Amino acid sequence: MLLKCLDDSGLTLLSSHPQSANAPQDALVWIPFDKVASFTQRINDFTQDTDGGDPKQAPLVANIEQIHRALLEHLWQESQDLPPLHEERWWELWFDPRITPIDPVITLRALADERQWRIRDRAIRVGERLYSAEMVSELQRLVDAFGARLGRSIAIDDTRLKLLAYNAHTGDVDDARIDSVMHRGASTALVAHVCEQGAAQASDVFTLPPCPQIGITMERIGMPIRYDDSLLGYVWLIGSDGPVGDRAVELLREAAAQAALVLHRGYLGVEVTRSHARELVRDLIAPDQALRTEAGAALVEEGHAVAGPVTVLVAMVAREEGEPLAEERRLALEFAVDRCRRRLPPSRGLALTRPDHALLLTIWPGARSQVIERNAAELAEVLREKLVAELGLGRAALCWVGVGGPRPRLTEAHSSYEEARRAAEVARITGTLGQVVAHAQLGVYALLGKLTPDELAEGIHPGLHSLLSNPVHRGLVETLRVYLDHTGDAQHAATALHVHRSTLYKRLHRVEQLTGLRLDVGDDRLAAHLGLKMAELNPRLPSSMKAPDVVL
C-alpha cells in the first residue's frame, strides 16, 4: 500500500501497522466529510483503464483489500490492552482545531445529549492557558450571535492573541488569520506588531494597519476586552468584509462588554479550581494518613488527577540559611515547575509551591517502575534547565532537583515527596552530588538525611566534634575524609591529597591524638566516617572541606 497516496488524496493518515505473518498491512485514515465523495470516485475509477491500459488510481486502490469504518479498538494506540467496553469508565477526548472550523466542544455536547452520555465540565487547554469548556462554548455562542447580527466574520483572542472563538469568514482572509485559525495562536512578530500599535493601551475601537511582512495584508478593527480596566483580550473584525459603520462599531463594543463578563467569570472559575487543586495536593503530602486518603480520592473524583503510579520531583534554589526565599526566586520556582507540568498530559501532573521549594507530582498510568524512573530523570533535567533559565544567572544559578522513587498509588505520593525533598536538600547542603539527584543515588545520605540537625550533632563522636569545631584543624579534617573515602587505602589517599605517604600517616596520627579515635579499629573508623557525613548535613557544623595552606 502506498501510504503517500493517502495524504496526496486529501486524507490524513493516523497510524499504520506493517504486514506480519498473521496480518496484512493496515492503515487508519481520517476522511474529511468533504473528501468522501472524491475518495469514493477514485475507487470507482479503478474499474476503468487509462489510455495505457492500466487501471485508473492503481497506486491508491490496487492493494486495498477492504475498507470499513474505524471502531474504538482501531483508535486505541496504548501499549496496554483496550479496557473492556462493557464497563462504564471516563474517557479523555482531544480535538485538533485544524480538522474542522466547528467548535468541537459544542458538537460533543450536542452528540452527548443525543446519545445520553455523561460529560464532566472539565478544563481544556488552549495554548498555555486553561479555559473551562463552558467558557469557550459561551464565547463561541457569543461570536456566532454577533457574527449573524453584523453579517461578517468576528474573532475573539486572549491577551496573547491565542484564538478563543471565531465564526465563518464571509470575505477573503490573509495568512495571519489562516495561521491563527490553524494553530490557535499568533507568531511572536504578530504579537509584537499588535503591541507596537498600542492595542494593549486602547480603551475603545482601534485599527490595526496591515503589515505584509508578517502575513497581515488586511487591516483589522479591534476592540479591547476589559473588566475593571484589566485587559482580558480582544474582539476583531477583518477589513476584507467591508467598511465598518457606526452600527458595527456599537455592536463591536457590545460584544466586547459581553465577552468581558464571560472571560472574567471563566478566569475566576479556573483560578478557584486551581486553588482547590493546590489545597488537595497539600493534603496529599501531609503527615496525616486519613487526610492523604481523602485528598487522593478527591483529586481523582474531581478530575484533577488520574489513578496510577506516581513519583515526585522537588526543586530548590540557593537561599540564606534560616531566611525566607526571596520573592523573585520563589516566582522562578513556580514558573519553572509550571512550565514542566505543561509538558505532561492533563491530569498527569500537579504542581505546588512551598515556602522554600516547589514540587511536581507526576502520574504514569500503566507504566513500569523502570520506565517511570527514566522518564522522571529526563523530566528532572528539563526542570533544572527551566529553573536556570528563570533565574537568569546562567551557569552561576544554584538550583537542585530531587527525584523521589515511584509509588504504586496516588495516596502514597507522600513517601516519594519526602524522598525527593531529602535528595534536593542533601544535594543543596553538600554541594558535591550534582544538581539533579535521585533518592536512590544518595547512599548513606538517604539514612542520615532523615535526622534533625540536633540528632546529627548528637550522633557525632565527641572527639571528632571538637576537631570539626576548630577552624585550625580544617586540613586534618580534609585528610581524614579523603583517607576514609578511599576505604583506608593510604597510597590512593596520599595521591589524592598530593602528599607523601609518611605525611599522611603523621596527619592521621595527629587526628587520633586530638579525637581519641583509633583508625585501625573498625568501629572507630565507622564512627569517624559517619561523623563526617553527618557534619556535611548539619548547617551548624563546619564540615571543613577546604584545607589551609599549611597542615601541622
Side-chain angles (χ1 to χ4, degrees), residues 429-448:
I429 293 174
T430 62
T432 59
L433 301 177
Q435 289 187 303
V436 176
V437 182
H439 184 265
Q441 300 171 322
L442 289 182
V444 70
Y445 291 118
L447 176 63
L448 300 180

Side-chain angles (χ1 to χ4, degrees), residues 490-510:
Q491 183 61 53
H492 284 92
T495 301
L497 290 166
H498 305 289
V499 299
H500 194 274
R501 191 159 43 176
S502 62
T503 302
L504 172 67
Y505 287 137
K506 289 179 182 178
R507 293 183 183 177
L508 293 176
H509 180 63
R510 182 61 175 154

